[in-house]
């Protein structure tokens, strides 16, 4: 990507990706708060957990069929690319500066992986007081105990740590590298050289996303119903 080329607004983050991002951020924060409050707040903790499950399922699907820069295929990097980025390289045609950079991609996959583990363990957890996951009866007591320990211990702190690192990275890029990561996740656009591939964000694309999200929400509601 030629740094001297004229810049134009390019749609990088499609609307479904942006909605997913902000909904997930709000839900995760609320999950942590309700877990710490406990008591009656656990009702909302469960509801938010099902919301996060639906959102994660949607993102996995959207990573296959979503906008160009939201597809996993366009931000899966090997070790060579990651080390090159850390040395200051901008990638082929400057692609590291468009969507998720190699380091940003690692952050995304780490957070998605930990959240999937957190949801999975929550589904079979049992606090031995008043709350059980809807799939608790499908596993052994030892498995449930191990899942509960992870869910309320290491898993929770890993999520908090990754969220803090995410925020610090945003601040670092804004202050040190003079790059605004929040703005494009709100508007969807970046000022980039002409010819940069844009993410499809048409009415048909959004309709597909709405259908996928509805299916994922239905699946989450079905799992919730298994707990009675």
């Amino acid at each position: 990507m030629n740094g001297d080329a004229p810049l134009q607004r390019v749609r990088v983050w499609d609307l479904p990706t942006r909605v997913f991002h902000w909904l997930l951020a709000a839900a995760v924060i609320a999950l942590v708060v309700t877990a710490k409050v406990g008591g009656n707040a656990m009702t909302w903790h469960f509801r938010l957990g099902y919301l996060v499950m639906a959102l994660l399922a949607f993102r996995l699907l959207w990573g296959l069929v979503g906008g160009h820069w939201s597809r996993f295929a366009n931000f899966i990097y090997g070790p060579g690319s990651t080390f090159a980025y850390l040395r200051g390289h901008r990638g082929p045609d400057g692609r590291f500066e468009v969507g998720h950079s190699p380091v940003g991609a690692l952050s995304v996959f780490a957070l998605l992986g930990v959240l999937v583990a957190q949801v999975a363990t929550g589904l079979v957890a049992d606090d031995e007081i008043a709350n059980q996951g809807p799939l608790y009866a499908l596993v052994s007591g030892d498995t449930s105990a191990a899942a509960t320990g992870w869910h309320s211990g290491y898993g929770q702190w890993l999520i908090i740590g990754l969220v803090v690192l995410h925020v610090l990275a945003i601040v670092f890029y804004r202050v040190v590298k003079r790059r605004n990561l929040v703005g494009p996740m709100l508007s969807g656009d970046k000022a980039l050289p002409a010819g940069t591939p844009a993410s499809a964000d048409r009415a048909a694309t959004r309709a597909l996303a709405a259908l996928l999200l509805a299916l994922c929400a239905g699946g989450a509601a079905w799992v919730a119903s298994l707990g009675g």
Side-chain angles (χ1 to χ4, degrees):
M1 190 179 295
N2 186 351
D4 297 326
L7 301 181
Q8 64 181 28
R9 294 181 68 83
V10 176
R11 178 55 48 93
V12 174
W13 304 122
D14 53 63
L15 181 62
T17 298
R18 286 177 278 146
V19 171
F20 160 82
H21 179 275
W22 295 112
L23 276 179
L24 184 68
V28 168
I29 292 172
L31 273 171
V32 173
V33 171
T34 52
K36 296 300 183 184
V37 172
N40 293 333
M42 291 303 294
T43 298
W44 279 103
H45 186 77
F46 273 77
R47 291 171 180 170
L48 290 163
Y50 298 132
L51 171 61
V52 169
M53 179 167 63
L55 289 173
L56 291 174
F58 166 77
R59 187 62 183 91
L60 293 177
L61 293 173
W62 201 242
L64 301 176
V65 301
H68 181 85
W69 298 105
S70 296
R71 296 191 181 193
F72 297 138
N74 290 316
F75 62 94
I76 293 179
Y77 302 100
S81 295
T82 302
F83 287 124
Y85 176 75
L86 292 173
R87 291 195 301 268
H89 292 282
R90 301 174 67 229
D93 296 323
R95 66 174 294 159
F96 293 169
E97 306 293 328
V98 182
H100 291 302
S101 69
V103 173
L106 289 176
S107 175
V108 168
F109 287 124
L111 188 55
L112 291 178
V114 171
L115 285 173
V116 167
Q118 195 71 351
V119 168
T121 52
L123 292 175
V124 298
D126 175 22
D127 66 4
E128 298 183 347
I129 301 175
N131 301 293
Q132 292 179 341
L135 305 185
Y136 164 77
L138 300 181
V139 301
S140 67
D142 288 342
T143 299
S144 177
T148 304
W150 171 270
H151 188 82
S152 60
Y154 291 117
Q156 185 179 135
W157 287 108
L158 265 176
I159 289 174
I160 293 173
L162 286 171
V163 169
V164 170
L165 283 176
H166 189 70
V167 172
L168 290 176
I170 291 172
V171 173
F172 171 80
Y173 271 85
R174 190 72 178 94
V175 175
V176 178
K177 305 192 88 173
R178 303 296 179 183
R179 288 179 59 193
N180 181 2
L181 300 183
V182 175
M185 192 53 74
L186 290 171
S187 69
D189 298 333
K190 286 186 177 183
L192 298 165
T196 302
S199 290
D201 196 17
R202 300 179 294 272
T205 306
R206 297 176 181 182
L208 173 61
L211 174 61
L212 292 177
L213 183 57
L215 291 173
C216 293
W222 174 74
V223 171
S225 71
L226 297 178

